[in-house]
Amino acid sequence: LLSLSLSLSLSLVFHDIIAEDFEDSYHNLTLKTMMGMRWASSFCPNARYVMKTDSDIFVNMDNLVLNLLRPDAKPRRRFFTGHVINGGPIRDTRSKWYMSRELYPESKYPPFCSGTGYVFSGDMAELIYKTSLHTRLLHLEDVYVGLCLRKLGIHPVQNSGFNHWKMSYSLCRYRRVLTVHQISPEEMHRIWNDMASKKHLKC
Ligand SMILES: *[C@@H]1O[C@H](CO)[C@@H](O)[C@H](O)[C@H]1NC(C)=O
């Protein structure tokens, strides 16, 4: 609630927060992602690419744009990339990622991209949203997107630039990645300032 009221007041200042009418909880993450897919397909139908990421992720924008999205190249279609996970459901009820057999009986998940950060071509937003309308909701949003991709016959492409674990900061290391997980707001400022002020440094 605190974060919701904070978001809404910031929204009055910057007009850049979209909210929908559901409780913003970990278990509702899939709803939030599908709301984003619907929003992107309605209001950004011509976007070449869309990225979904979390607030504790460092995103190397230069690398993302110049090396992955490549404005000079022909835009990709039916393209989905990130840190690809080939896993299966965790049946331990104490786990954050617990999945019951009732909800998901299979022993393997289809390949999915870690929800910490993934990028897809603009056409995917509508395809995923429409597929979700006839796909039973699962609370693990990245697994759920993977299920939609399987239905669509699309294979997510592994890119090792997406780091879904923490990586200690060094200018030269962070210059080579696309994302790094678990960055606090203070670190985020420090990293952005450091990278911006050392553009002349070669490594
Ligand atoms: C998801 O949001 C709905 C609507 O606000 C709410 O009723 C429901 O309890 C939420 N579910 C979870 C698991 O948080």
Side-chain angles (χ1 to χ4, degrees):
L1 268 181
L2 184 68
S3 87
L4 177 66
S5 55
L6 180 66
S7 307
L8 291 178
S9 6
L10 286 173
S11 180
L12 293 177
V13 179
F14 298 109
H15 310 287
D16 61 353
I17 292 174
I18 298 149
E20 238 180 70
D21 192 13
F22 58 83
E23 189 189 319
D24 191 3
S25 62
Y26 186 68
H27 267 71
N28 267 341
L29 210 52
T30 305
L31 282 183
K32 188 156 65 175
T33 297
M34 290 309 125
M35 160 196 141
M37 297 290 175
R38 184 173 65 185
W39 197 89
S41 62
S42 313
F43 297 106
C44 325
N46 299 318
R48 286 183 170 206
Y49 294 102
V50 177
M51 177 174 199
K52 182 263 161 181
T53 191
D54 293 341
S55 51
D56 62 343
I57 307 293
F58 166 77
V59 179
N60 184 326
M61 292 301 287
D62 288 349
N63 244 352
L64 189 69
V65 173
L66 296 175
N67 296 334
L68 180 66
L69 308 183
R70 310 246 316 273
D72 55 311
K74 190 166 171 279
R76 300 177 185 86
R77 307 284 287 169
R78 296 176 73 87
F79 173 72
F80 200 103
T81 189
H83 175 96
V84 176
I85 298 173
N86 286 288
I90 296 175
R91 306 296 191 191
D92 180 346
T93 51
R94 290 161 300 182
S95 168
K96 182 183 176 188
W97 299 291
Y98 168 68
M99 179 62 71
S100 70
R101 282 179 207 283
E102 290 68 51
L103 220 46
Y104 192 88
E106 290 174 57
S107 63
K108 289 256 177 287
Y109 290 139
F112 64 94
C113 289
S114 161
T116 54
Y118 48 77
V119 170
F120 48 93
S121 53
D123 56 330
M124 293 302 307
E126 187 182 12
L127 290 173
I128 294 170
Y129 174 64
K130 287 202 166 148
T131 305
S132 79
L133 299 176
H134 48 86
T135 305
R136 185 182 178 184
L137 217 57
L138 283 186
H139 57 287
L140 301 178
E141 69 99 8
D142 44 13
V143 170
Y144 185 76
V145 171
L147 290 171
C148 293
L149 291 179
R150 179 169 69 185
K151 279 197 174 177
L152 289 162
I154 289 166
H155 303 280
V157 178
Q158 162 65 13
N159 184 314
S160 58
F162 293 90
N163 291 279
H164 78 317
W165 298 118
K166 172 112 187 139
M167 201 173 116
S168 60
Y169 178 67
S170 110
L171 177 69
C172 301
R173 286 176 88 192
Y174 272 48
R175 267 194 186 158
R176 290 194 299 264
V177 304
L178 295 170
T179 63
V180 185
H181 191 200
Q182 276 182 9
I183 309 290
S184 67
E186 295 74 29
E187 267 182 295
M188 198 76 84
H189 274 125
R190 199 164 55 81
I191 295 170
W192 272 84
N193 289 334
D194 194 59
M195 293 190 103
S197 66
K198 294 185 180 155
K199 286 222 181 280
H200 57 283
L201 281 185
K202 295 258 178 292
C203 58

